Amino acid sequence: MYEYEFIVRNRELVFLILIIILGSIGYIEKISKFQWSRQWRIAFLLLFLLISVGQVKLSLEGKREIELLETKLEDSRTELEELKDKTSPRTLAKPQREKLIEELEHFEMRYPIVVACRFMDNESYNYAEDFSLVFKEANWTVGEINQSFLDDIESDVTLAITNNGQEVVANRVARVLNSVEVDCKLQNIRENSLSGIQPNTLYLIVGAKQD
């Protein structure tokens, strides 16, 4: 039954095989000068047809298996990349650092800045170090990294101001960070979530790595 369905679905291919078989029989008769009876012709035709169809079926099924395996392999690669992104520590790539330094150097209005990170979070601290070095290389006044932040934030980093006059600069810094694909959203920070706050200082806060 399955063979019949296969023949119906692939009748053009089967027709081509029949032509080849008939041509083969004629060629054999010509070189051997042997005339095949009608029964032998039919038997040979059916046998050759079944063998040919079986070979084609195996070939097509093998091709489908290969395509299925390739799809599964690609899915596995995608899952592996996603897992790698989730588990790898955050860091600023060289092009990101260079672009940030270039942009931050051109700020005419600046404030002293402190980079803060999550309390007892080594990954957050190491990422904060990257930003601290960038601001130093851009000739900003940079304080020691503050490791006391207690809360979660909605993005990788955010900015906290200590007076309303810093808002314009904070917004501009946020735009620069987002331009190099650092997820920065300005948001309200809970009072007392960060200790040791200094007056007239801008705070870049590095949150925990997002899942």
Side-chain angles (χ1 to χ4, degrees), residues 136-154:
K136 286 176 181 177
E137 291 187 40
N139 298 314
W140 286 53
T141 301
V142 183
E144 294 294 323
I145 294 176
N146 184 318
Q147 303 179 56
S148 66
F149 187 62
L150 300 174
D151 291 350
D152 292 321
I153 56 177
E154 298 175 0

Side-chain angles (χ1 to χ4, degrees), residues 89-105:
R90 293 168 294 177
T91 185
L92 290 176
K94 184 178 179 181
Q96 288 177 300
R97 292 197 302 269
E98 292 175 347
K99 182 65 175 178
L100 284 172
I101 293 168
E102 179 185 349
E103 293 290 337
L104 293 170
E105 280 180 333

Side-chain angles (χ1 to χ4, degrees), residues 22-38:
L22 292 171
S24 300
I25 292 174
Y27 180 74
I28 292 171
E29 288 181 341
K30 183 177 180 180
I31 63 174
S32 64
K33 297 181 181 180
F34 175 76
Q35 295 297 317
W36 290 45
S37 67
R38 185 169 178 234

Side-chain angles (χ1 to χ4, degrees), residues 5-44:
E5 292 176 354
F6 178 85
I7 291 172
V8 172
R9 288 198 306 268
N10 300 273
R11 51 187 176 274
E12 293 87 356
L13 179 60
V14 173
F15 181 69
L16 179 61
I17 292 173
L18 285 172
I19 293 176
I20 294 172
I21 295 171
L22 292 171
S24 300
I25 292 174
Y27 180 74
I28 292 171
E29 288 181 341
K30 183 177 180 180
I31 63 174
S32 64
K33 297 181 181 180
F34 175 76
Q35 295 297 317
W36 290 45
S37 67
R38 185 169 178 234
Q39 290 83 356
W40 277 105
R41 282 173 177 266
I42 294 173
F44 181 82

Side-chain angles (χ1 to χ4, degrees), residues 99-111 113 135 138-140 159 166-177 179 202:
K99 182 65 175 178
L100 284 172
I101 293 168
E102 179 185 349
E103 293 290 337
L104 293 170
E105 280 180 333
H106 292 93
F107 275 54
E108 295 179 1
M109 183 183 294
R110 304 181 186 183
Y111 292 92
I113 188 166
F135 279 94
N139 298 314
W140 286 53
L159 287 146
Q166 297 172 336
E167 188 172 350
V168 173
V169 175
N171 282 322
R172 188 177 172 191
V173 171
R175 287 196 298 271
V176 170
L177 290 170
S179 72
L202 189 63

Side-chain angles (χ1 to χ4, degrees), residues 2 5 32 36 55 58 60 67 78 85 96 102 116 151 156 180 191 204-205 211:
Y2 180 74
E5 292 176 354
S32 64
W36 290 45
Q55 289 176 334
L58 288 174
L60 292 176
E67 290 174 350
T78 301
D85 289 340
Q96 288 177 300
E102 179 185 349
D151 291 350
D156 280 339
V180 295
E191 189 176 357
L204 175 67
I205 301 173
D211 292 332

